[in-house]
Structures are given as structure tokens and as C-alpha cells.
Amino acid sequence: MHEWGSLISGRFFRAVANGRRRAVRGRCFRRDNRGGEMTGTQSASRGLTRRDFLKVGVAGATGLAAAGSMTGCGAWLGAATQQAADEKTVYTLHQFMCTGRCSLKCTVRDGRLAMIQPNDTVDPYYRHVCVKGISEIQHVYSDERLQSPMRRVGARGEGSFEVISWDEAIKTVGDELRKAWDKYGKQSVYMSASNEPRFSFLPALLGCATGVEPGIDRGTGNGSAPAIGGDVFGGGTNETRDWVNTKTLVISGTNLLESSMMQSNTFLDAKKAGCEIIVLDPHFSTTAGKASKWIPVIPGTDAAFYLGMVSYILDNKLYNEAYMREHTSFPFLMDEATGKLLRTGAAWGTDEKTGEPVDPGDFMVWDGAKGAAVPYAEAVATAALEGSFDVDGKKAITVLESLKRNQRPYTCEWAEGVCGASAETIAEVARKYATGGPAYLAFGQGGSDKYSNPDIIGHAGMVLVSLTGNIGKPGCGIGHGIGGGGYSVTLGEWELPEQFKPAELDIRSDRFPDRDGGVHVVISLGNTFQQYWANMNKTREWIDSLDFIVHIGMYYEDTVKYADIVLPVCSKFEDTVEHSIVRSDYNHVNLQTKCIDPLFESKPDFDVMRLIAEEMGVGEYLPKTAEELVRYQIEHSEDLAEQGITLAELEKNHGSMKMADVDEPRRAYTDLKFETPTTRMEPYYEAWKPCEQAWPNWEENNEAYVGNPLAEKYPLQFTQTRTRFSNHSHFKAAKWVQQFAKPTLELNPVDMASRGIADGDLVEAFNDRGSFKCVARANNAVRPGSCRTWEAGWSKYIEEGNTQNVTNDHVNPRDEYLPTGAPIPYNDTLVEVKKA
Ligand SMILES: Nc1nc2c(c(=O)[nH]1)N[C@H]1C(S)=C(S)[C@@H](COP(=O)(O)OP(=O)(O)OC[C@H]3O[C@@H](n4cnc5c(=O)[nH]c(N)nc54)[C@H](O)[C@@H]3O)O[C@H]1N2
Ligand SMILES: Nc1nc2c(c(=O)[nH]1)N[C@H]1C(S)=C(S)[C@@H](COP(=O)(O)OP(=O)(O)OC[C@H]3O[C@@H](n4cnc5c(=O)[nH]c(N)nc54)[C@H](O)[C@@H]3O)O[C@H]1N2
Ligand code: SF4
Ligand SMILES: [Mo]
């Protein structure tokens, strides 16, 4: 294990480097004394106790007697006493949020799920299952399943419900929706959906708004997308199978060996092939542990590291001039005084007579041979990259010249002072990136993405790519490495008539707690109240102000307790039809297949959606069943037809077919034509000039930055990361995995010692927004001066409160410039921790 003292050179944690180190006690997985037991005495505000839950669950519902015997998985999982009479094997598709989309082989005995294995007919390279998948036998029959429709009887948030029938529940939902439509209009209803459930038709059918995700996962992509005109997930990536061709791979802000576990083989194969894998992470993550080099940066400072790299490449002329001249905007001329790019025509404007936009014409470059400014296409090979010129009486400089000037303050030494990595290390990575290619920058979505200004990282990354041309070739790329980024096909799309369109929101939904978004009713799918909104205490006030909330979900997760009506849905293993889902990604087409009948009174997603649509008089526009939809999607897909993939073929091939011609990894922009107006890479963002990010400029975080006076009160930066033991809040109900992924607050032993905290102590993490209490765990992998939890713990398993009580909901004022708006900066959070 590493010694933090010698690794840390940043100012933020100077005290730590001098601090006394203490041995880390072994990790112990003590059983939670509440989770699985029925002796809980939770306060009313924290939801139903297990006993209450069973009371409503069992007392009210009919048809539960049979299911009741398998509610508790203890009984269900008891030793088999006799040979099963009826056994079958079903191949089906599992989850996709984990980026696994594994095809599973399920053994079903006497109508019950009995064993889960990887689909052994799939190409071994893609043949996987993880501990979550295996645990589904227990997760599906979990005590935490919502069993029957319920109506709230106590105060909102108290968690008291009575069981009602489906008819009554759907009628109530209909009455409340109609009431809201009459009183405020259709746009007053908002569908708040987690990523996993599939209810794609309701927003259009009901004319309601949906979608909170723009604040999530696009932080870095917001900054990189404008340079290539691609999507905010970083369209510059080659598939990660291409990493075997990469020589220098820089991975930052992602722990992809846990968050993209099923693509781990691409990482390990690359390593075996000799790729140098460099991981930037404040903490010694699983991925850092397997990399060639780990660089522990100060949380939220990656942009400084990349800016230092840019300077090193510029100062040492390690850039690729031919690439820059032909494929980027670096030779374009700008007005030195204003930073405006020169055009052959007038500036952008509107023709006064016609109202049509005026074409400002081509960008200009300096043609050295002619000694004149010409349209860029006229001097592709000869355009000057550097220098300053007189053009029509104006002083003009090239874009590259402008970058060089802008970079002056951002030396490697400056970067060392900000991000904590040594100037030599930054220089070494820069040299390797520029000269040791093919090189690839893989960003995360969970780590550095979730501060206030990750766009600067993405933008600086695109500057590096533009300087070196590390794109469009085998082994090159920039963007998110999570999920592999393979090929997929387009499925047929069931079209609704014209009149059905979702409503548009005036403000993004994560801002509802701050401003009146006109929303009075929420249709909640999954656990978004806990998951999406940072700063839970503020969110709670907004939730309290709502007229009606219907929750549609599988488990007794946090959001349930705020609902007025609860509708239970099935797991992916239960169904009323043979196939409910067909999906295509990561070089495959996968089919979901029914393993067992719906448990309890739960219904499949599709059926619930249909019931609501029927109640609102628009059911006729939907397919009759999910199976009809699956058939439609397959039969109306040109791509599938081309590949000769039909439903019958999929069934014959055990629910999973690899696409044709996918042996070579998918590669992006191989023609080096980008989706920008000039089809070149355009790393200079002229339109961002007013917010001072035309070039990536260093900016401190909102809260977690060195020198923030708040750090005197709240000195620890708080990070939440994914774990291989759950998909966000999903799988918290599986006791087999619970024991490994209990909500704990991990701290470095030095920070525990200075606070008198021992491993296993109950601690409180707090700041001005709120607090939560949970068990402290000593972990030398956690950076001194920080603390960490696995993201998305259910409140009922946390001693008190929820991690979201302390997270930061700051909105970067650059909001309007960013393609999808400012990110939700969950990790840009300072707390103090004390013994509770
Ligand atoms: N098993 C599992 N897989 C998942 C998910 C899941 O819940 N479970 N969720 C999926 C989803 S929706 C997402 S968005 C992705 C996210 O996947 P990732 O982007 O891999 O996010 P995390 O796994 O949270 O890992 C974040 C890493 O960034 C580090 N980090 C924190 N702050 C900084 C920083 O300032 N700089 C740098 N360089 N590193 C930092 C953390 O220590 C951690 O190691 O995972 C997907 N895959
Ligand atoms: N503090 C903090 N908050 C964060 C993050 C962070 O790093 N820190 N990360 C953010 C990120 S990147 C993301 S993507 C979001 C994720 O937030 P969510 O998308 O809300 O993720 P989950 O909690 O996994 O929610 C999935 C829901 O779907 C349900 N579910 C699973 N399978 C099915 C199914 O087949 N049918 C139906 N109907 N339901 C199903 C699960 O029970 C669960 O309620 O969280 C964000 N929240
Ligand atoms: S939860 Fe595990 S088994 Fe299921 S799809 Fe994801 S990685 Fe695969
Ligand atoms: Mo995410």
C-alpha cells in the first residue's frame, strides 16, 4: 500500500502529510442490526418499520397467502428437501444501468427462480454475470418488495399506508391527474424517472414533462462537445476494445473496473498488450490499483492537470502541425482585440429586409505564400499556424497564437500548486500523450464530472486532442470509457399520433426546489427523490408543496414514503407475456424473456403504463401488450433486417445475438470530419467568450477548493462513488450484497485519529445543509482530507438521514452556455465529521 505522506504535495492537505499514521484495522462486515430483522423501531419520519410494512402488506391484500410463504427469502432459500418436479432454463436480459446488459441463464424450478448463471451460449468475451446478477434469486424475493397498491394514510414522508385494489389505485391516479389538468394544465404533471424503468410513452400520451438527467453525467461532455459538435457523452471515443491498440491511456474521474465491470477485459487486455494506463484519482480506487501509474490529484482539480499538459506540449512544440492545419481551427484568424474570429463576410446578424440570418462567410487564415488573409479552404496546406498579421487595418492573430497567450499562466509548476501532482509528473504524462501515441483520454461520469465546473476538463481535453490529433485512428479517442461504446442497431419506433407530445419545461427539474416550475403532480418511477436532487432538506420542502405523487416501483426505497399512491411493478424476471424488452448495445441484440409469473400483486412496467393510459382515455394508441411492442421494434428495424435478426432467430439463439461485422472495434471520426460548421475540430469556443471560457480557463470549485474559508468549519471533501455491489440505489434490497456494501463513511486513518474516531464508530457528517449519521470505516485508500461513501444508500440502512442531506446543489452561473446546463455538483461538497 502507498504512503500518503510522500504522495501528497498539495497545500490543501499539508497537515495530513505531517500527521501521524495509524494502522488500518481490518475491514469487518458486521451485520446491520436493522436491515433484515423485524425488530426495527424507526422513527415515523423515516418510513415504515419492517413490521408495519408487513402488516399493511399482508393484511390488506388478497392473493398474498401463496406469495406470503416466499416473501421472506429465508424460507424460500432453505435447503431443497425434494427433487423439483418442474424445471426449465430461461435465457433473459438483465440490467443496463451498470453497463453490463448481461444475458443470463436462469434455472426456474416449480415456477420459482432457483439459479442464475451467465448465458453460456454467448461469445465468451461477453459472457458475464456479477454478484448483483447472481443475487437476484434473493433480490426478487426480497422482503423489501412492494407487494400491493397502497394509499398514504399518514402525513407525507411518515410512511403509513393502507393496501388498496389496483382498480381503486388507478382510478385515484386518474382523478388526481384530471384534477391537476383542470386546475393548472397538463404541464403541471411531471414524470420523474430513474434510468432503469422503461415507461417511454407516458409523457407524450399525458402531455407531461419529464427528464432530470441533463444535470447528470454530462459535466465533462458539456465542455468537450462543442469542439467536435458531437454529443455530450464524448462522441470522440473509440470502443474500449480498441485500447489494445492504445499506447498511452489516461483515465480520470472514473473507477471503471467497478462501474463498467463487464468491460474490464478491455482494460486488462490493453494492459497485457503493453498499454501504459495512467489513472488520475484522488483516492486509490480499484482501477488505480490495476493501472500502470496512479496520480492522486486533489479533488476537483483535474482541469489544472490538463491545462499543465497543454502548456508543456505547446512549450516543447510537441504538437502535430499537419493535423492542426488540416483538421482544426488553429490556423483561423481572430481579431486580437476582441477575440472574434475573422470571416470573409459580415458578422452574424439578421437581414433587416428579409429577417433571414446573414451568412458571415468563411473563416479566414493567413496564406504565407500570398501574404494575405484568405478563406481557410484556399490554404489548407499552407496556412500559417502562428504569428500576428495586419488584416484590413486590424491586428489579427491565429487561434493557436491566442491559445499560447492564454496558456501563459498555466505552467506545469502552476498546475502542481493547484492539483497536487508534481510538475514533472504532469510533464511526463504530457510527453507520453503527445509522443507516445496512439493515446486516449477516458473521462468518468461519476468522479470529476460531479463538481461545479467539469466542462473545463472536457474542454482542456479537446485542446489536447486538437494539438496532437489523437482521434479517429486505432487506439485513439476522448470521452467516456464507461459502457464500452460498442456498436448497436436502431430498433423500430412505435409512433404516437402527432398530437401526443411531452410538455417542455421552463426550468430544469433539478431546479424545482429553487424556483416555481409550475409542477404540482409527480409520477415517480424508481427512486429519483433520493437520487436526483442534491440538498435533500431543500428538496423535501418542494415535495411537501406537491398536490399529488404516485410512485411506481419495485422496492420499499426512499421515494416511496413521499407517495400518495404506490403501484408495485415486477422485476425483469416476472412477466405476463413472453418478451417485454428488446435492446441493442455493446455489439449485441438482447431479449428479455419471462422466467416467472408476477409476484404478489405486482404488474409489469408495460401493463402499469397501459392501465394509466387507459384510465386517461389514451390507451388505444399503445401496443396491446409489451410483446406486440417488442415484435414491432424488431420487425420495423432496417438494421435488424439487414443483419437477418428476427424474434424467432433471437429465441433460437437463447435471447442474445452478436451483431455481424463487429470484430473490429467501433471507431469514431475515422474520416476526421467532425460535426462542427467547418467539419474541423474547433477547440476555440468563440461563443463562450462572455463567460470567459473561450479557452479553458482555470476556475475554483464552488465549495471544495483550497482556501475556501468554509473549510475551517467543514474541512473534509465528500465524494460518493459507485460500487460493484449496487446500481445506485438498486440492489440495496439484496441482503447477500448488503453485507458488502453497507452505507459507511470511509475516512483515512489520519483523519479519524485527529477526530478521535475508531473504525466502526457511529459518526455524523454535517454541514450547513444538513447531516447524516452512519458507521465510520478506516480506509487508507481514501485521500486524507476527504471522506467517501458508496453512492445512494437507502435511508433505512443509514443510522440517520441520507447522504443527499449534505450534497451541494449549486448552479454554475455558466449554466446557459453549457449544452445541457450546469451539472449537479454532488462531490463539490465540504463536511465535518464527528463521533455521534
Ligand atoms: N456497478 C455499478 N456500475 C455503474 C453504476 C452503478 O451504480 N453501479 N452507475 C452507472 C452510472 S449511471 C454512471 S454515471 C457511471 C459512473 O461511473 P464512474 O465515472 O466510473 O464513477 P464512479 O464509479 O463513481 O467513480 C468515480 C471515481 O472518480 C474518483 N474521483 C472523485 N473525485 C475526483 C476528482 O476530482 N478527480 C478525479 N480524477 N477522480 C475523482 C472517485 O474516487 C472514483 O474512483 O457508472 C455506471 N456504472
Ligand atoms: N449524491 C449523489 N447522487 C447521485 C450521484 C452521485 O454521484 N452522488 N449520481 C447520479 C447519477 S450519475 C445517476 S445516473 C443517478 C441515478 O439515479 P437513478 O436512475 O434513480 O438510479 P437507481 O437508484 O438505480 O434507480 C433505478 C430505479 O429503477 C428501479 N428498477 C430497476 N429495474 C427496474 C425495472 O426493470 N423496472 C422498473 N420499473 N424499475 C426498475 C430500481 O428499483 C430503482 O428504483 O443518481 C445520481 N445521484
Ligand atoms: S447487474 Fe451484474 S449481472 Fe446484471 S447486467 Fe449488470 S453487470 Fe450484468
Ligand atoms: Mo449516471
Side-chain angles (χ1 to χ4, degrees), residues 97 195 216-217 445-446 450 722 728:
M97 267 285 274
N195 285 286
I216 289 172
D217 297 344
Q445 296 178 329
K450 286 171 166 51
R722 316 293 170 274
H728 302 284

Side-chain angles (χ1 to χ4, degrees), residues 3-22 715-716 748-752 754-755 780 782-786:
E3 291 286 327
W4 278 104
S6 62
L7 282 168
I8 294 177
S9 63
R11 290 163 292 160
F12 208 172
F13 309 117
R14 201 189 303 121
V16 167
N18 302 331
R20 208 159 37 89
R21 288 170 46 81
R22 226 171 80 158
L716 298 171
N748 189 281
V750 294
D751 290 321
M752 295 176 74
S754 62
R755 289 168 176 75
N780 199 32
V782 174
R783 183 183 179 89
S786 287

Side-chain angles (χ1 to χ4, degrees), residues 458-786:
H459 193 176
M462 277 297 174
V463 172
L464 288 170
V465 176
S466 307
L467 287 170
T468 57
N470 271 314
I471 194 163
K473 295 176 289 190
C476 292
I478 173 168
H480 294 139
I482 306 149
Y487 295 94
S488 59
V489 299
T490 304
L491 296 167
E493 204 177 320
W494 183 278
E495 306 248 354
L496 294 174
E498 261 308 303
Q499 74 263 34
F500 294 113
K501 285 197 185 72
E504 288 197 8
L505 284 172
D506 290 336
I507 59 166
R508 224 171 67 185
S509 51
D510 57 298
R511 319 271 162 85
F512 287 160
D514 275 321
R515 281 169 51 190
D516 181 10
V519 165
H520 298 277
V521 169
V522 168
I523 302 173
S524 149
L525 302 181
N527 204 15
T528 57
F529 285 166
Q530 178 204 287
Q531 280 302 113
Y532 280 163
W533 283 270
N535 194 353
M536 189 66 198
N537 286 320
K538 200 199 261 182
T539 312
R540 219 167 270 140
E541 285 174 27
W542 168 68
I543 295 173
D544 281 344
S545 76
L546 294 170
D547 289 6
F548 179 71
I549 300 166
V550 51
H551 178 82
I552 306 170
M554 278 154 65
Y555 290 98
Y556 209 95
E557 52 207 351
D558 274 39
T559 296
V560 175
K561 64 174 179 256
Y562 301 109
D564 301 301
I565 292 286
V566 177
L567 304 176
V569 289
C570 298
S571 73
K572 287 200 172 61
F573 299 86
E574 301 144 58
D575 222 321
T576 46
V577 293
E578 202 52 17
H579 306 294
S580 271
I581 298 174
V582 57
R583 279 188 67 91
S584 166
D585 42 17
Y586 205 38
N587 311 323
H588 285 75
V589 182
N590 287 318
L591 192 61
Q592 185 223 22
T593 305
K594 170 181 172 170
C595 296
I596 54 174
D597 290 327
L599 289 179
F600 322 112
E601 292 190 45
S602 69
K603 289 185 189 293
D605 288 332
F606 185 90
D607 299 18
V608 177
M609 172 175 66
R610 233 198 111 84
L611 282 177
I612 295 174
E614 278 166 5
E615 171 67 26
M616 302 313 287
V618 289
E620 69 197 273
Y621 301 104
L622 288 175
K624 299 244 157 6
T625 65
E627 176 121 10
E628 187 184 333
L629 177 62
V630 165
R631 283 178 192 281
Y632 187 94
Q633 289 175 299
I634 295 174
E635 284 161 15
H636 290 77
S637 161
E638 284 173 25
D639 289 352
L640 284 187
E642 231 168 66
Q643 301 250 340
I645 297 179
T646 60
L647 182 59
E649 280 295 303
L650 275 165
E651 285 177 327
K652 205 167 86 195
N653 285 281
H654 305 106
S656 182
M657 286 177 76
K658 189 158 142 196
M659 292 157 54
D661 303 324
V662 295
D663 288 343
E664 272 293 298
R666 189 193 58 81
R667 296 191 175 105
Y669 300 114
T670 48
D671 58 359
L672 299 181
K673 297 266 177 276
F674 302 93
E675 292 152 74
T676 53
T678 60
T679 74
R680 293 177 171 217
M681 288 192 77
E682 298 180 4
Y684 177 68
Y685 300 170
E686 186 180 345
W688 292 22
K689 189 101 183 126
C691 66
E692 294 179 3
Q693 290 292 338
W695 287 118
N697 277 316
W698 171 250
E699 173 187 280
E700 297 285 12
N701 276 311
N702 166 253
E703 185 165 305
Y705 64 90
V706 177
N708 184 353
L710 192 69
E712 284 173 23
K713 240 163 109 187
Y714 307 121
L716 298 171
Q717 183 264 340
F718 175 53
T719 292
Q720 311 93 51
T721 63
R722 316 293 170 274
T723 157
R724 60 190 180 279
F725 294 112
S726 71
N727 291 352
H728 302 284
S729 69
H730 196 45
F731 292 101
K732 303 295 177 197
K735 281 182 211 140
W736 289 349
V737 295
Q738 258 171 28
Q739 60 188 320
F740 301 111
K742 218 168 268 316
T744 54
L745 186 67
E746 294 188 312
L747 292 132
N748 189 281
V750 294
D751 290 321
M752 295 176 74
S754 62
R755 289 168 176 75
I757 297 168
D759 186 80
D761 278 354
L762 185 65
V763 292
E764 179 175 11
F766 59 98
N767 58 22
D768 290 340
R769 286 181 289 270
S771 77
F772 65 91
K773 287 184 190 160
C774 73
V775 169
R777 208 37 96 221
N779 190 343
N780 199 32
V782 174
R783 183 183 179 89
S786 287

